[in-house]
Amino acid sequence: MVGAENVLVGDAERLARATGLSYLDLLRRRAPSADFPVPDAVVLPADPDEVQAVLEVCVRHDVGVVPFGGGTSVVGGVAALRGEKASVIALDLVRLDALVSVDAESRLAVLQAGVRGPEAERLLGEHGLTLGHVPQSFERATIGGFAATRSAGQASSGYGRFEDMVKGVRLATPRGEWKLGVAPASAAGPDLRQLAVGSEGTLGVITEVSLRVRPAPPVRRYEGYALPGWEAGAAAVRDLAQHHALADVTRLSDGDETEVSLALNASLKTTALRRYLAARGVARPCFLIVGWEGTAHDVALRRRETARRLKASGAVRVGKALGESWRHGRFAGPRQRDALLDQGVCVETLETAAYWSHVDELRDDVRAALTSSLGRSIVMCHISHAYETGASLYFTVLAARDETDPIGQWQRAKAAACEAITGLGTISHHHAVGVDHAPYLKAEIGELGVEVLRAAKSAVDPTGILNPGKLV
Amino acid sequence: MVGAENVLVGDAERLARATGLSYLDLLRRRAPSADFPVPDAVVLPADPDEVQAVLEVCVRHDVGVVPFGGGTSVVGGVAALRGEKASVIALDLVRLDALVSVDAESRLAVLQAGVRGPEAERLLGEHGLTLGHVPQSFERATIGGFAATRSAGQASSGYGRFEDMVKGVRLATPRGEWKLGVAPASAAGPDLRQLAVGSEGTLGVITEVSLRVRPAPPVRRYEGYALPGWEAGAAAVRDLAQHHALADVTRLSDGDETEVSLALNASLKTTALRRYLAARGVARPCFLIVGWEGTAHDVALRRRETARRLKASGAVRVGKALGESWRHGRFAGPRQRDALLDQGVCVETLETAAYWSHVDELRDDVRAALTSSLGRSIVMCHISHAYETGASLYFTVLAARDETDPIGQWQRAKAAACEAITGLGTISHHHAVGVDHAPYLKAEIGELGVEVLRAAKSAVDPTGILNPGKLV
């Protein structure tokens, strides 16, 4: 069906599609155990029709199918679980790499699922367009993965979350192709696009996505501010969000994360900066990165408005160096983890979102849960996505690794954090559910919510071949 | 359960909940026929718990339940169809009339489903807040109805569609209560809020909605522009939408709708205005209403930006009188229909939305379908909701009524319009599906989409008591 050369059964090829990029994935890759799930084969279809044909064969032979994009899941989303199936394949979508069409008048582009972030920008750039979706996984992750997991990019305040960009979806399902999205907005029943987006391969394999695009911005302007403490910082971001004055990138670090920046950021003259801030009443700073992208006119207009509000909120301008250094290092985080692992560090991130009235309490509770579980540790936090009604909280955790049981150490800490989140916020703001968050989904969407998802799955995938053991 | 006084079985009470406000509903009310479906009783629960208890009784006795809010559906959404059931009740939610809570910090308010538009604004106004949701049905329609039908208000460019405001939903279902919405945004699987919103009473009875609210605007500024023709007008609105320069209300009339305004609007000095516009190259004007709401600073800033872009698009400013007269008459349309009906006029509206590259073709096709079906008629059109990727099209139709078969006359015209829409746009941008659009849903969301909705319904409503015969 796809050609023999596009069915890989070698150990290296199968192992490469067996895990994502969570801390536990990295540990498991370093010390594989016998129960480590690996796909029986990797299949690489060329286009949506071949994806559909492969699914039909898998239904006939009752083979589980794990869609695989960039392999950047940090929640076990690409783990090769087989559920009740005797065999399971990784369906690698890397060959679905085309820009299918551009409708510049409607600012729409159809991209295939396997296109990675940089390639999407390159393809759109040829038409003078951009998607503007830049999550930390940008360099490896794919259009299909962004859609399947409800990704949110670092510039989500300006460009929106990925689901805001999705205007149409084409899915391959065991019951045939499914296409959604005929208009920018509709009252023709529930928005099924929003059911496909976030379905994590359980309701179909996303093969093409129709996306809202924008003109590539001629001007990018990033800068840094400092606020006197977390509460002041969160209040300032809330003020921006509630007055439609958010920069395209708006990212507030708490005191601990700011201290790490001050210690490690070579582009900052730390001593002088501390003195400058202290003289302006900011003894323990929280850094705020703000970045605008657009025409010179638009950036100037919006920057003036953001600056006006930030000043009223007590923010002190730090300048361009802080913004630019963040921008240049924005995708580096994941690459540093291997080095830290080599040094015996437990390093991981987790995230949530809540309404503003819960944000401070949620941050306190998650920090307390993590530190009391891990003992000696550094827990940093930032807000990277702000809304009128609330914000995301993103935690970066560093701890001394328990070498006798490193996996158990993190599983206990993560469970403590998830318990702290439940009831106050969402179990995931942009990392999705996968395997790791599945136990907490019921508390968030209700038993009925889980049953509705299962019923939807049964309708499109009656024999349950799609991504067994994920989401629900 | 609800008290005997809250179960109404009189003819007048049952008839009052038997129809919405479509042209066909008005005709049917004037000349009821034997097959006119009327609920067997009207039940008025006091609160969400009573709604839940009523559903459980209805499951036990296999009674169909039609949720009833303001009764303003124009697509048969409240028709008392009983499907396979021997009996059916109208579940009138008017007593669920409370503002449950306000979280000013998070800009969230929980309103019960039966609260009507003006009362919602009054209750929120006591807290200095507004919802900003003003569809033409505002005076009668309810919070629950807005959510169940994916309503869009006249100020949707500024305040968003109703589904954009919905942050949480509480539903009563035959399988128990279902609550959704713990954070402003989430990647915890598909967004089931967007499944509840637009479910038109088929997946549960919406009893409470958590809504994003905003400070009540101290300043409202409405004005009018004229553009030289439809294409120029649509291009100007597209330019605003794609440059984030839309006014909160942005409403473009086509030439025919503008001519009717010029003929009927007593506040316009028509002859002088025509001369003024002609001198500026606008011989056949298309009126554009733009309105901003907010602080003086915000309105001034945004108005300047909109004006700058409109000028570049060739728009000629007409002034405040046009904007203000539209604002004051904004809810009057439906009230004029009875007088027109008395005069032998067939009068109805219908609407759709499409991506920008289809907007002109869709307008032409729908107009052609309507006029060729109706013969002598006036078909007016406006854009009232604009997006980066497309816009809504709203048609108002006036024709000589065929007194021998007035219902068939409109059914044929409506079918012709729906056929013209299918493939180019959505079957409804903000009127929902109900009975009238149900035959066209499959073409829009696919057979699989319909089956997914049916599966979801089976999960929460296994015996099918909820709004039989609607949506799917």
Side-chain angles (χ1 to χ4, degrees):
Chain A
M1 189 135 306
V2 297
E5 69 280 17
N6 292 307
V7 179
L8 313 177
V9 293
D11 285 355
E13 288 83 358
R14 295 189 296 128
L15 270 168
R17 277 81 168 188
T19 60
L21 287 178
S22 73
Y23 169 65
L24 296 186
D25 283 335
L26 299 187
L27 289 181
R28 287 186 194 116
R29 277 204 217 174
R30 286 172 175 231
S33 67
D35 62 349
F36 185 64
V38 174
D40 300 307
V42 179
V43 179
L44 296 109
D47 57 36
D49 290 340
E50 284 196 8
V51 173
Q52 185 61 41
V54 170
L55 287 195
E56 283 160 20
V57 172
C58 288
V59 168
R60 212 146 61 230
H61 296 278
D62 203 31
V63 174
V65 177
V66 181
F68 192 93
T72 60
S73 173
V74 291
V75 294
V78 294
L81 305 184
R82 59 192 70 217
E84 317 272 288
K85 307 299 172 197
S87 48
V88 63
I89 62 164
L91 189 68
D92 191 326
L93 300 163
V94 69
R95 293 175 66 213
L96 280 76
D97 58 359
L99 171 61
V100 179
S101 64
V102 171
D103 173 355
E105 183 182 0
S106 309
R107 295 231 174 133
L108 284 174
V110 177
L111 282 157
Q112 287 190 328
V115 179
R116 293 183 205 279
E119 179 67 0
E121 289 301 331
R122 192 190 66 75
L123 289 166
L124 292 170
E126 290 178 357
H127 298 263
L129 298 169
T130 184
L131 189 53
H133 187 70
V134 279
Q136 204 172 40
S137 60
F138 173 75
E139 292 168 326
R140 287 186 55 179
T142 59
I143 294 296
F146 295 146
T149 60
R150 303 183 82 81
S151 173
Q154 292 165 342
S156 69
S157 295
Y159 291 93
R161 296 168 59 84
F162 201 73
E163 70 251 33
D164 302 325
M165 303 175 189
V166 174
K167 299 300 157 191
V169 194
R170 179 178 179 184
L171 298 115
T173 86
R175 299 216 32 232
E177 278 224 320
W178 189 18
K179 288 186 190 180
L180 292 165
V182 300
S186 171
D191 190 352
L192 295 178
R193 289 181 292 205
Q194 294 300 327
L195 194 70
V197 173
S199 60
E200 301 187 25
T202 66
L203 298 180
V205 179
I206 294 168
T207 56
E208 290 179 355
V209 187
S210 175
L211 291 156
R212 180 257 288 147
V213 292
R214 291 184 177 162
V219 173
R220 293 172 205 266
R221 169 94 193 204
Y222 283 73
E223 51 193 54
Y225 280 81
L227 283 122
W230 171 258
E231 281 77 11
V237 172
R238 179 163 69 87
D239 176 80
L240 295 179
Q242 294 182 342
H243 291 86
H244 312 291
L246 284 171
D248 296 322
V249 168
T250 303
R251 189 183 188 281
L252 174 76
S253 294
D254 72 357
D256 288 332
E257 192 170 280
T258 301
E259 288 305 313
V260 171
S261 286
L262 279 165
L264 299 181
N265 190 329
S267 69
L268 297 179
K269 297 183 183 93
T270 306
T271 313
L273 179 55
R274 281 195 195 280
R275 202 175 308 128
Y276 172 86
L277 291 174
R280 281 151 187 83
V282 181
R284 184 156 161 70
C286 287
F287 280 163
L288 175 71
I289 306 294
V290 275
W292 301 264
E293 307 196 344
T295 62
H297 171 85
D298 179 53
V299 167
L301 204 70
R302 295 174 54 221
R303 182 168 164 262
R304 197 179 315 140
E305 197 56 17
T306 310
R308 192 178 71 83
R309 297 210 75 89
L310 283 176
K311 195 176 168 191
S313 291
V316 176
R317 190 162 178 280
V318 173
K320 274 172 76 171
L322 179 57
E324 286 299 323
S325 72
W326 174 81
R327 180 156 87 95
H328 290 295
R330 65 199 293 181
F331 309 125
R335 288 198 290 267
Q336 295 161 350
R337 291 191 308 168
D338 268 301
L340 287 164
L341 253 68
D342 290 341
Q343 292 166 42
V345 176
C346 163
V347 51
E348 184 55 304
T349 63
L350 59 88
E351 41 80 65
T352 177
Y355 298 119
W356 284 113
S357 57
H358 294 153
V359 161
D360 290 347
E361 181 185 0
L362 180 54
R363 174 172 163 272
D364 290 345
D365 288 3
V366 173
R367 283 166 53 87
L370 287 167
T371 52
S372 72
S373 174
L374 289 165
R376 219 180 96 230
S377 54
I378 303 172
V379 178
M380 300 173 275
C381 180
H382 64 252
I383 288 175
S384 45
H385 309 266
Y387 308 89
E388 283 182 83
T389 57
S392 69
L393 289 173
Y394 190 97
F395 298 89
T396 303
V397 186
L398 298 170
R401 188 162 69 234
D402 174 355
E403 296 295 359
T404 59
D405 181 18
I407 288 178
Q409 176 193 25
W410 178 247
Q411 283 175 330
R412 285 185 295 276
K414 170 82 176 176
C418 289
E419 295 293 337
I421 287 169
T422 298
L424 280 178
T426 175
I427 201 65
S428 174
H429 171 266
H430 58 270
H431 281 171
V433 176
V435 174
D436 298 357
H437 291 148
Y440 305 94
L441 191 60
K442 194 171 100 176
E444 183 155 335
I445 64 171
E447 176 63 34
L448 279 182
V450 172
E451 289 187 28
V452 162
L453 289 178
R454 287 200 184 118
K457 181 173 173 60
S458 291
V460 295
D461 178 28
T463 60
I465 64 162
L466 291 175
N467 224 359
K470 309 293 164 53
L471 190 59
V472 289
Chain B
M1 186 134 308
V2 298
E5 70 280 18
N6 291 307
V7 180
L8 312 178
V9 292
D11 285 354
E13 288 84 357
R14 294 188 297 128
L15 269 169
R17 277 79 169 189
T19 58
L21 288 177
S22 73
Y23 169 65
L24 295 187
D25 284 335
L26 299 188
L27 288 181
R28 288 187 193 114
R29 276 204 218 173
R30 286 173 175 230
S33 67
D35 62 348
F36 185 62
V38 174
D40 300 306
V42 180
V43 179
L44 296 110
D47 56 37
D49 290 340
E50 285 195 6
V51 173
Q52 185 60 42
V54 169
L55 287 195
E56 283 159 19
V57 172
C58 289
V59 169
R60 212 146 60 230
H61 296 277
D62 203 30
V63 174
V65 176
V66 181
F68 192 93
T72 60
S73 173
V74 291
V75 294
V78 294
L81 304 184
R82 59 192 70 216
E84 316 273 288
K85 307 300 174 195
S87 48
V88 62
I89 61 164
L91 190 69
D92 190 327
L93 300 162
V94 68
R95 294 173 66 209
L96 279 78
D97 59 358
L99 171 61
V100 178
S101 65
V102 171
D103 174 354
E105 184 182 359
S106 308
R107 295 234 175 133
L108 283 174
V110 178
L111 282 158
Q112 287 189 327
V115 179
R116 293 183 204 281
E119 178 68 0
E121 289 301 331
R122 193 191 65 75
L123 289 165
L124 292 170
E126 290 177 357
H127 299 264
L129 298 169
T130 185
L131 189 53
H133 186 70
V134 280
Q136 203 174 39
S137 61
F138 173 74
E139 294 169 325
R140 288 186 54 177
T142 61
I143 295 296
F146 294 146
T149 60
R150 305 183 83 81
S151 174
Q154 292 165 342
S156 69
S157 295
Y159 291 94
R161 294 168 59 85
F162 202 72
E163 69 252 33
D164 301 326
M165 305 176 187
V166 173
K167 298 301 158 190
V169 194
R170 179 178 179 186
L171 299 114
T173 87
R175 298 215 33 232
E177 277 225 320
W178 190 16
K179 288 187 192 179
L180 292 165
V182 302
S186 171
D191 189 352
L192 295 178
R193 289 181 292 204
Q194 294 299 329
L195 195 69
V197 174
S199 60
E200 302 188 23
T202 66
L203 297 179
V205 179
I206 294 168
T207 56
E208 288 179 358
V209 187
S210 176
L211 292 156
R212 180 256 287 146
V213 291
R214 291 184 177 164
V219 173
R220 291 175 207 266
R221 169 95 192 201
Y222 283 73
E223 52 194 55
Y225 280 82
L227 283 121
W230 171 258
E231 282 76 13
V237 172
R238 179 164 70 87
D239 177 79
L240 295 179
Q242 295 183 342
H243 291 87
H244 312 292
L246 284 171
D248 297 323
V249 168
T250 303
R251 188 182 190 281
L252 173 75
S253 295
D254 72 357
D256 289 331
E257 193 172 277
T258 300
E259 288 305 314
V260 171
S261 287
L262 279 165
L264 300 181
N265 191 327
S267 69
L268 296 180
K269 296 185 185 90
T270 305
T271 313
L273 179 55
R274 280 195 197 278
R275 202 176 309 131
Y276 172 86
L277 292 174
R280 282 152 187 82
V282 182
R284 183 153 160 75
C286 287
F287 281 164
L288 174 70
I289 306 293
V290 277
W292 302 264
E293 308 198 343
T295 62
H297 171 84
D298 178 54
V299 167
L301 205 68
R302 295 175 53 223
R303 184 167 163 262
R304 196 180 314 141
E305 197 56 15
T306 310
R308 191 178 71 82
R309 297 209 75 89
L310 283 177
K311 195 176 167 190
S313 290
V316 176
R317 190 163 177 278
V318 173
K320 275 172 76 171
L322 179 58
E324 287 298 322
S325 72
W326 174 81
R327 180 156 89 91
H328 290 295
R330 65 201 291 182
F331 309 126
R335 288 197 291 268
Q336 295 160 351
R337 292 192 306 167
D338 268 301
L340 288 165
L341 254 67
D342 290 341
Q343 291 165 42
V345 177
C346 163
V347 51
E348 184 55 304
T349 65
L350 59 88
E351 40 81 64
T352 178
Y355 299 119
W356 285 114
S357 58
H358 294 153
V359 161
D360 290 346
E361 181 185 357
L362 180 54
R363 174 170 163 276
D364 290 344
D365 288 2
V366 173
R367 283 165 52 87
L370 287 167
T371 51
S372 72
S373 175
L374 288 166
R376 223 180 92 229
S377 55
I378 303 172
V379 178
M380 299 173 273
C381 179
H382 64 251
I383 288 175
S384 46
H385 310 265
Y387 307 89
E388 283 181 83
T389 57
S392 69
L393 289 174
Y394 190 98
F395 299 88
T396 303
V397 185
L398 298 170
R401 187 160 70 232
D402 174 355
E403 296 296 358
T404 59
D405 181 19
I407 289 180
Q409 175 193 24
W410 178 247
Q411 283 174 331
R412 285 186 294 276
K414 170 83 176 176
C418 290
E419 295 294 337
I421 287 169
T422 298
L424 280 178
T426 175
I427 200 65
S428 175
H429 171 267
H430 59 270
H431 281 171
V433 176
V435 174
D436 298 356
H437 292 147
Y440 305 93
L441 192 60
K442 195 171 101 177
E444 182 155 337
I445 64 171
E447 177 64 34
L448 280 181
V450 172
E451 289 188 28
V452 162
L453 289 178
R454 287 200 183 119
K457 180 172 174 61
S458 291
V460 296
D461 178 28
T463 60
I465 64 163
L466 291 174
N467 223 1
K470 309 293 164 53
L471 190 59
V472 290

